[in-house]
Amino acid sequence: MMYDAYQGMADVGDRMRQLAQNAQTILGAWAAHPTASPWRRMSAYYELVALAGFTHARPDYGIESVEINGAAIPVEERGALWTPFCQLLHFRKAGGEDDPKILLVAPMSGHFATLLRGTIRTLLRDHQVYITDWINPRNVKREDGEFTLEDYTSHLIDFVRFIGEDCHVVAVCQPTVSALAATAVMARERDGVQPASLTLMAGPIDARISPTKVNELAQEKPIEWFRANMIGTVPAKFEGRGRRVYPGFLQLCAFMSMNADRHSKSFVDLFHHRVAGDIEKADAIRDFYKEYFAIMDMSADFYLETVDQVFQRYLLPLGQMRYKGEPIDLRAIKRTFLLTVEGEKDDICAAGQTLAAQDLCSGLRPYMKTHHLQAGVGHYGVFNGKRWESQVYPVLRNHIQSSR
């Protein structure tokens, strides 16, 4: 009932936003005139109305080229492998056939993998990039089965084996747990494929360390409460009808409530920038929220198991997580170079939670382990923005080069 009620309101809101978008388009032509201040204000208002709503379709990556030494180098995007829940996309710049291969593991946490568009652009300077382009579960038929935390780990193992021994895994945020678990599982089979390197960025390897508000929220209620209050059923109008999910609109509302004042200010800033004719600043805010408001659901099993195993019982750092009935032993990792990256001001995954992997991977020799704490950045600054490009990325690039 919760999801049906939301969808009913969303359908009405979509029509209102479309009307606002049409009005903004018409008024925009008049608002461009330097003496048309009232029209500009009306256009800016309608733009806010049109923007203030969620969408459930994945945006395009739009990576057609990458700039290297002042030249725009064409980029090819193509599908490499498909499952009902994910497509493995391959990005490669012209002439980059011999570049190191990165498996960029995107979070399944309410947003599409396109949120890492900027990360991909930077990585493409020196690498070819495969990314886990997760499919919205509300578009996956129930007969395709459920999707669990173990299924997530299985996907990563299959993708590494597909790419090959020279694969460099880069996991961002939530999937660092599965990426580390998958690497340990592959290490257990000593003659099988293992990634050449593993980079864990701002992820909850050990969420007991310096708990954030996110960690505290997960601890406040028993898992039964999350099952009873946070899970909805996909409405009949979608392909995944009847599938149990943690709805994307609940996820995003929860995150936005943590920084409500900042989001409200951003919308006010967008209005004033647009009225003042600061097109570049206004467009930057608009583009961010168009991406931020593109939401996807999360499989109920995956969500509940993540809350339970990662944020409540801490199974991986305690050595109690299992894969297909067998214990996951992080000490088995002996051939994969490890880099952990954290942000000094991260209020989602505090400094120390990702660093924990360094001690847990005790089978690695000291020269195979590197940690980088990036000063002055929060969660998103670890993998996006100016400091990511100028300070974090060079560390990651050198890490990959040294592990080849």
Side-chain angles (χ1 to χ4, degrees):
M1 292 297 293
M2 169 183 60
Y3 206 136
D4 287 308
Y6 159 76
Q7 194 60 50
M9 292 187 292
D11 290 343
V12 173
D14 287 344
R15 289 191 285 272
M16 294 177 61
R17 285 190 297 276
Q18 185 59 56
L19 290 172
Q21 179 64 57
N22 295 340
Q24 193 267 333
T25 301
I26 295 170
L27 290 170
W30 299 340
H33 194 280
T35 62
S37 180
W39 299 114
R40 187 176 292 175
R41 294 180 68 87
M42 289 179 65
S43 176
Y45 168 75
Y46 281 121
E47 181 178 18
L48 294 185
V49 175
L51 184 62
F54 301 153
T55 62
H56 299 266
R58 176 176 72 73
D60 291 332
Y61 284 90
I63 304 175
E64 298 179 355
S65 64
V66 59
E67 186 173 324
I68 300 177
N69 297 325
I73 309 299
V75 171
E76 176 192 39
E77 171 191 337
R78 65 179 182 86
L81 197 64
W82 291 265
T83 78
F85 291 91
C86 187
Q87 61 175 339
L88 184 66
L89 288 182
H90 183 200
F91 292 87
R92 188 179 67 192
K93 68 177 182 287
E97 295 82 2
D98 297 326
D99 288 346
K101 301 172 184 175
I102 287 178
L103 172 60
L104 181 59
V105 187
M108 185 182 282
S109 57
H111 289 102
F112 293 93
T114 51
L115 199 65
L116 299 182
R117 183 184 294 105
T119 313
I120 298 172
R121 285 186 185 277
T122 305
L123 293 173
L124 279 171
R125 296 173 187 170
D126 306 284
H127 313 86
Q128 47 186 312
V129 180
Y130 293 81
I131 187 168
T132 55
D133 190 44
W134 301 106
I135 296 170
N136 196 335
R138 81 176 193 167
N139 298 326
V140 180
K141 296 178 181 178
R142 287 187 68 189
E143 49 262 39
D144 287 321
E146 301 303 324
F147 188 87
T148 65
L149 181 58
E150 187 172 281
D151 289 326
Y152 194 114
T153 303
S154 292
H155 273 67
L156 302 190
I157 293 172
D158 291 342
F159 291 159
V160 170
R161 288 172 175 165
F162 172 80
I163 296 170
E165 189 85 17
D166 55 349
C167 173
H168 301 271
V169 177
V170 178
V172 177
C173 189
Q174 168 217 71
T176 54
V177 174
S178 281
L180 185 55
T183 303
V185 170
M186 288 183 279
R188 191 170 62 202
E189 302 172 9
R190 298 188 179 184
D191 296 330
V193 172
Q194 298 180 40
S197 74
L198 173 64
T199 300
L200 306 176
M201 307 184 73
I205 299 301
D206 191 342
R208 295 173 297 178
I209 299 170
S210 303
T212 65
K213 188 180 295 185
V214 174
N215 304 137
E216 292 169 355
L217 287 172
Q219 281 288 331
E220 284 180 359
K221 307 287 185 181
I223 194 63
E224 291 77 15
W225 183 91
F226 289 92
R227 184 176 290 108
N229 293 277
M230 306 304 286
I231 303 302
T233 303
V234 175
K237 64 184 291 185
F238 302 108
E239 273 197 285
R241 63 185 65 89
R243 180 178 292 281
R244 301 281 285 169
V245 296
Y246 175 34
F249 64 89
L250 282 182
Q251 300 175 62
L252 189 56
C253 286
F255 274 114
M256 291 187 69
S257 67
M258 295 171 57
N259 295 285
D261 291 342
R262 187 181 70 188
H263 291 297
S264 297
K265 182 179 183 301
S266 293
F267 268 69
V268 173
D269 289 345
L270 170 57
F271 180 85
H272 289 307
H273 288 320
R274 195 65 80 192
V275 171
D278 296 331
I279 305 301
E280 187 174 340
K281 292 180 180 179
D283 285 352
I285 298 174
R286 178 204 60 195
D287 292 346
F288 171 81
Y289 279 101
K290 285 181 70 174
E291 184 73 47
Y292 196 62
F293 287 164
I295 59 175
M296 64 179 289
D297 299 334
M298 191 187 303
S299 164
D301 289 329
F302 173 77
Y303 166 70
L304 292 171
E305 289 177 8
T306 298
V307 172
D308 175 46
Q309 296 186 30
V310 177
F311 293 103
Q312 291 191 346
R313 291 196 289 152
Y314 319 108
L315 295 191
L316 186 64
L318 290 175
Q320 298 172 7
M321 184 173 281
R322 306 179 79 85
Y323 177 79
K324 295 186 176 179
E326 296 292 326
I328 296 173
D329 185 4
L330 300 181
R331 296 171 299 179
I333 302 173
K334 299 182 184 297
R335 290 164 42 188
T336 301
F337 281 65
L338 175 66
L339 167 66
T340 51
V341 183
E342 298 179 322
E344 176 196 12
K345 299 181 178 180
D346 195 333
D347 60 352
I348 294 177
C349 184
Q353 293 188 8
T354 315
L355 174 63
Q358 299 280 337
D359 290 335
L360 293 171
C361 296
S362 58
L364 286 173
R365 296 181 180 180
Y367 74 87
M368 300 178 72
K369 298 190 285 187
T370 306
H371 179 67
H372 178 73
L373 176 65
Q374 180 56 51
V377 302
H379 188 70
Y380 292 102
V382 171
F383 54 88
N384 219 333
K386 293 181 179 179
R387 286 193 177 95
W388 145 251
E389 291 187 3
S390 64
Q391 299 180 46
V392 178
Y393 174 63
V395 174
L396 190 155
R397 181 187 57 210
N398 293 340
H399 164 69
I400 289 176
Q401 288 293 333
S402 65
S403 64
R404 296 182 70 192

